[in-house]
Amino acid sequence: MTSAPGRPLRDLADVPVTALHHVGPARAAALAELGVTSIFDLLTFYPRRYLDRTRRAELASLALGEEAAVVGVVRALRARRTSHGRSLVELDATDGDESLRVVFFNQAWRERQLPVGTQVLLYGRLEDYRGRRQMTNPVVDVIVGVDGGARDPTRVGRVVALYPSSERSRLTSWEIGGYVDEALRRSGTLADPVPRALCESLGLVDRTAAFWAMHRPAALEDVEPARRRLAFDEFVRLQLALARRRRRVVAASSGVAHAVDPTDLDVAPGAPGGSLLRRFLAGHRFALTGAQRRVLGEVLADLARPSPMQRLLQGDVGSGKTMVALSALVVGVDGGRQGALLAPTEVLAEQHAASLRADLADLRVPDARVLGGERPLSIAVLTGSLGSRARVGVLAGLADGSVDIVVGTHALLQEDVRFAALGVVVIDEQHRFGVAQRAELVARGRERSDEGRDPDVLVMTATPIPRTAAMVTFGDLDRSVLDEMPAGRQPVVTRWLGAGRESEGWELVRAEVARGRRAFVVCPLVEGSDRVVAASAVSERERLAATELAGLRVGLLHGQMKPAEKEQVMGAFRDGALDVLVATVVIEVGVDVPEASVIVIEDAWRFGLAQLHQLRGRVGRAGDRGYCFLLGDAPSDEARARLTALVDSHDGFALAEIDLDLRGEGTLLGTRQRGRSDLRVASLRGDEDLLVAARDVAANLVEDGDAADQLVGELRLLVEPSEVGFLFQG
Ligand code: ADP
Ligand code: MG
């Protein structure tokens, strides 16, 4: 398939903005401050909003106290200092009929930005100041500067694009629009890497039309189709890069084809003999749920293949992910290889090791080096707090193969950790690891293993990632979902007890303890150092032990405790030597104490929805009724919505969608999880249909060298440097 004629968008990255008639060194420098150095940058520098000149309201018709957008021309401007020494810029603007007073405090630079004659768009609340209309510190878009007003009559259209730069930069929206205009005209027809027939079937406009309508819409209605097309391209690029990455990884990999017998999954309880997996499943306390069986089938199929497994296992809290992970590890061990289970905290690593030891206690593995040719399966723990002698011992066991499964924290990733033959890696609660870290982990598995093969990797997360977000964030992984809870698990009764109603919760804690159950109390999230956090937990425990929970055995767990102390407290709680565990959010992930039936979360509004759902999953695990009490009032509508959602819903995925709604996507793709900075106009929520279509299109285009090269080449220009490494290297 050959691409449509025209100039590839990517090529415009080689044309500097100084190629434009009106851009000299000074303006090029101003553009560079906005991240725009090439024509490519300019075309992908999208307007932040549009002004429809035909629809704007007259100043006179706007009500006081309302937010309004007003277009006016600066008529007079004064700058001075207030009696308190603050800078004050006052201006009068008029929309032709009415005038508006605008004041800016502490924005002295406005004087330079808004000389008399400038045409501006002002957003703010209309106030009354001594009988005149006024705005204080409004948002300002410079539409046409005084000198920029060499009015090109073709440009004074109905709709004006407003660019995100105009506030502080020396460039006005009008100027930027002029450069874009010239860039569009001189670029001519852009090659469209997406075949026309495909665009038509998806109802998408062509690329050139999309760029024109985005920057120079004839009417506001033209913007959305253009945005959709450009959003589609954003998704396709990413999906293509991920698909290519995957292919590269597969091509370069040398994995292990584990010996697997799928019928092992149907082994009857108590049946004797057979593979290690068979013995493990037959001897287990319970039978697999349908979902566990299905997911394990997917995992076994991956393990049997010579290319390394790269699979994401998603399952709500309590859905039984551990069982799946153990089974995968056991398969690896059966072939004489080792397994590694990576946990986010020491408490969890210890807990996993304890349950592994219990679950795998009866299993024996062949070992020619020991008398009888067989020995018990050996499990080691590797955490940062391990004493140096113990550490040396574990490292030796990993290197010579006498340790079969190692459970550890980040300590497993240290340089000196070497394996004889690493077969399977399970990463628990993956959200604590970044995308790039995960990639590195996989790459290192091979270097660290004397066998020189890529381990199979299973990434587990209880964070319900909405499907769309997963496609973007984990698009390079296969995905399995545990969508069924083990039988007998009932939804946790969730109540929000506002200020004054807390006693209801504490009474229930006492009642549950009286019938042999245990309770978690999660301390309020406090700002400050780890020490401050710990101190508040200490005092909260004291308070509770002296008041609401007097007479109960109340323990304490926080991040400043030594690992041995933590383990001792967890052990006491697990064994029933403690009735109540007052904890900071250390317990958030994975802690499994079947007798725990109540969780009280103090100042619940401070926690995110996903985190609250995780915490709630800590209780009611033994087929017993669980209770979750959310304490404290909600100080905002958003917080109220969050707490209400938790009371109303028990579906982690539904809650994740609500969370996305409440917090917006910024936080999902923002900062650490950012990962993908190419989503400038696409919205995971609003454009789900495009994302799904884009994935299919990408799967086809990945075979089409030219189109894929174009799109992936564009992506390279758009993502941040830190992302390039992950996306473009195998
Ligand atoms: P998570 O997915 O949160 O890691 P776990 O693996 O800790 O869930 O399992 C949650 C609880 O359910 C544990 O107490 C576990 O023993 C139990 N469980 C897991 N699988 C089953 C099953 N198939 N039948 C009954 N109980 C199960
Ligand atoms: Mg778990």
Side-chain angles (χ1 to χ4, degrees):
M1 184 163 47
T2 50
S3 301
R7 191 198 275 259
L9 178 63
R10 164 186 66 167
D11 291 2
L12 297 174
D14 300 330
V15 186
V17 285
T18 46
L20 297 172
H21 292 312
H22 299 291
V23 179
R27 283 173 174 157
L31 282 168
E33 273 176 39
L34 303 170
V36 174
T37 58
S38 70
I39 301 301
F40 175 91
D41 297 335
L42 194 56
L43 293 187
T44 53
F45 187 74
Y46 301 121
R48 72 169 160 189
R49 51 186 156 231
Y50 301 87
L51 172 66
D52 185 339
R53 293 168 175 245
T54 61
R55 286 198 200 161
R56 67 185 223 240
E58 301 291 311
L59 240 182
S61 68
L62 296 171
L64 286 175
E66 304 258 294
E67 293 271 345
V70 172
V71 177
V73 174
V74 178
R75 283 284 172 251
L77 183 80
R78 296 167 297 280
R80 59 183 173 89
R81 294 218 159 256
T82 66
S83 49
H84 302 292
R86 294 208 285 173
S87 91
L88 176 67
V89 174
E90 287 174 287
L91 62 81
D92 292 318
T94 165
D95 71 351
D97 298 321
E98 284 284 318
S99 87
L100 174 73
R101 179 172 185 267
V102 181
V103 291
F104 296 100
F105 288 103
N106 286 332
Q107 299 180 18
W109 50 275
R110 294 288 188 191
E111 190 186 0
R112 290 187 308 282
Q113 186 199 25
L114 305 170
V116 171
T118 310
Q119 190 186 9
V120 289
L121 178 61
L122 303 157
Y123 295 85
R125 190 177 300 280
L126 269 189
E127 306 149 3
D128 175 78
Y129 178 77
R130 296 183 184 165
R132 279 192 63 190
R133 287 160 192 274
Q134 171 175 300
M135 279 187 189
T136 306
N137 290 347
V139 173
V140 181
D141 278 313
V142 174
I143 304 172
V144 186
V146 187
D147 50 359
R151 286 170 192 264
D152 172 352
T154 66
R155 284 197 54 213
V156 191
R158 222 178 100 180
V159 179
V160 181
L162 298 171
Y163 290 88
S165 62
S166 52
E167 213 159 288
R168 221 176 250 262
S169 100
R170 287 157 284 152
L171 295 168
T172 65
S173 222
W174 181 259
E175 284 172 298
I176 295 173
Y179 308 148
V180 172
D181 214 52
E182 186 186 340
L184 282 170
R185 270 186 284 113
R186 290 177 54 195
S187 301
T189 302
L190 296 170
D192 197 334
V194 183
R196 173 172 295 249
L198 196 59
C199 282
E200 276 166 12
S201 71
L202 294 169
L204 295 171
V205 300
D206 78 58
R207 211 174 219 203
T208 312
F211 276 105
W212 274 96
M214 195 71 177
H215 290 287
R216 299 235 13 223
L220 276 185
E221 297 73 52
D222 297 344
V223 175
E224 178 57 11
R227 188 200 64 81
R228 274 180 65 81
R229 169 58 209 265
L230 298 173
F232 177 76
D233 286 2
E234 292 183 346
F235 286 140
V236 173
R237 286 184 193 113
L238 257 172
Q239 297 297 320
L240 258 177
L242 290 170
R244 281 197 162 184
R245 186 192 141 73
R246 226 192 123 81
R247 287 210 320 182
R248 263 195 322 274
V249 169
V250 170
S253 67
S254 96
V256 177
H258 298 267
V260 164
D261 180 357
T263 65
D264 284 349
L265 294 180
D266 303 313
V267 65
S275 72
L276 209 53
L277 177 63
R278 207 175 172 82
R279 281 178 278 150
F280 169 58
L281 293 177
H284 207 69
R285 294 173 272 139
F286 40 69
L288 296 172
T289 64
Q292 282 170 324
R293 200 202 164 290
R294 173 175 48 75
V295 166
L296 253 176
E298 292 162 1
V299 169
L300 291 190
D302 285 354
L303 290 174
R305 247 174 248 131
S307 55
M309 167 164 73
Q310 299 185 66
R311 186 169 289 278
L312 174 69
L313 170 56
Q314 270 188 287
D316 212 339
V317 196
S319 59
K321 293 183 292 299
T322 315
M323 183 77 189
V324 176
L326 291 192
S327 302
L329 293 170
V330 159
V331 169
V333 171
D334 207 10
R337 295 192 177 77
Q338 295 158 295
L341 174 55
L342 198 54
T345 65
E346 297 203 350
V347 169
L348 271 176
E350 292 289 350
Q351 176 186 295
H352 272 313
S355 73
L356 244 75
R357 288 194 175 110
D359 282 344
L360 306 178
D362 301 334
L363 296 181
R364 301 183 66 78
V365 295
D367 187 340
R369 289 171 298 187
V370 300
L371 209 60
E374 216 186 54
R375 60 168 173 78
L377 189 147
S378 101
I379 295 163
V381 178
L382 190 68
T383 62
S385 63
L386 207 60
S388 59
R389 185 176 311 157
R391 183 165 191 277
V392 169
V394 173
L395 292 188
L398 291 173
D400 71 12
S402 57
V403 168
D404 299 306
I405 296 178
V406 62
V407 185
T409 54
H410 279 80
L412 271 177
L413 306 179
Q414 274 156 15
E415 285 303 329
D416 56 349
V417 180
R418 293 207 58 89
F419 295 83
L422 182 58
V424 177
V425 175
V426 176
I427 307 175
D428 193 11
E429 310 295 354
Q430 124 85 25
H431 56 294
R432 298 287 171 104
F433 292 99
V435 174
Q437 251 179 318
R438 181 182 78 221
E440 192 182 64
L441 210 73
V442 175
R444 289 233 198 120
R446 174 160 158 193
E447 292 164 20
R448 299 290 182 75
S449 175
D450 289 343
E451 193 188 19
R453 301 217 170 246
D454 290 297
D456 287 274
V457 177
L458 183 67
V459 171
M460 304 198 294
T461 177
T463 310
I465 307 161
R467 193 169 71 112
T468 48
M471 280 167 67
V472 173
T473 318
F474 297 103
D476 59 327
L477 299 180
D478 295 311
R479 192 158 166 261
S480 293
V481 181
L482 277 179
D483 50 7
E484 177 189 346
M485 289 288 170
R489 208 180 146 101
Q490 313 164 40
V492 175
V493 176
T494 306
R495 289 202 197 110
W496 175 16
L497 306 175
R501 293 179 53 209
E502 297 90 347
S503 57
E504 204 180 305
W506 302 122
E507 269 160 35
L508 199 115
V509 169
R510 294 174 153 285
E512 286 290 291
V513 169
R515 52 182 288 265
R517 303 288 166 205
R518 281 160 235 163
F520 290 109
V521 177
V522 180
C523 294
L525 273 181
V526 293
E527 300 276 328
S529 65
D530 291 349
R531 190 163 300 166
V532 172
V533 174
S536 93
V538 169
S539 63
E540 183 59 8
R541 184 204 156 263
E542 276 168 18
R543 187 185 75 78
L544 288 171
T547 56
E548 277 96 345
L549 304 180
L552 305 188
R553 295 167 301 170
V554 184
L556 174 70
L557 190 68
H558 63 68
Q560 287 271 286
M561 288 161 54
K562 296 212 173 64
E565 285 177 277
K566 279 188 208 164
E567 195 32 51
Q568 196 232 323
V569 171
M570 273 310 297
F573 186 62
R574 230 180 259 131
D575 300 343
L578 288 172
D579 303 314
V580 179
L581 190 61
V582 175
T584 53
V585 284
V586 220
I587 62 158
E588 177 195 343
V589 277
V591 172
D592 190 15
V593 177
E595 294 80 7
S597 64
V598 196
I599 185 164
V600 180
I601 305 171
E602 302 195 49
D603 272 1
W605 69 271
R606 290 183 186 273
F607 296 88
L609 196 45
Q611 206 174 18
L612 289 170
H613 181 63
Q614 293 279 320
L615 287 168
R616 174 168 66 176
R618 301 295 122 227
V619 297
R621 311 196 103 196
D624 203 14
R625 201 27 112 198
Y627 299 88
C628 171
F629 293 105
L630 310 171
L631 303 193
D633 289 334
S636 68
D637 288 345
E638 190 270 340
R640 191 166 309 120
R642 232 180 313 132
L643 297 184
T644 310
L646 196 77
V647 170
D648 292 344
S649 172
H650 290 83
D651 176 344
F653 283 88
L655 288 171
E657 299 277 355
I658 294 170
D659 211 19
L660 208 53
D661 266 349
L662 290 175
R663 291 181 311 159
E665 290 165 18
T667 43
L668 181 84
L669 294 171
T671 63
R672 267 184 323 124
Q673 279 282 358
R674 179 177 189 89
R676 315 284 178 248
S677 31
D678 187 34
L679 300 188
R680 300 185 184 191
V681 294
S683 149
L684 289 178
R685 287 188 66 62
D687 300 323
E688 183 171 349
D689 60 324
L690 291 176
L691 175 53
V692 172
R695 193 175 52 170
D696 295 342
V697 169
N700 290 325
L701 283 184
V702 77
E703 304 297 340
D704 178 346
D706 185 47
D709 283 348
Q710 280 192 42
L711 285 159
V712 173
E714 291 160 20
L715 183 64
R716 225 178 241 282
L717 298 165
L718 289 164
V719 295
E720 299 194 339
S722 62
E723 293 304 316
V724 170
F726 168 71
L727 284 169
F728 298 107
Q729 271 119 53

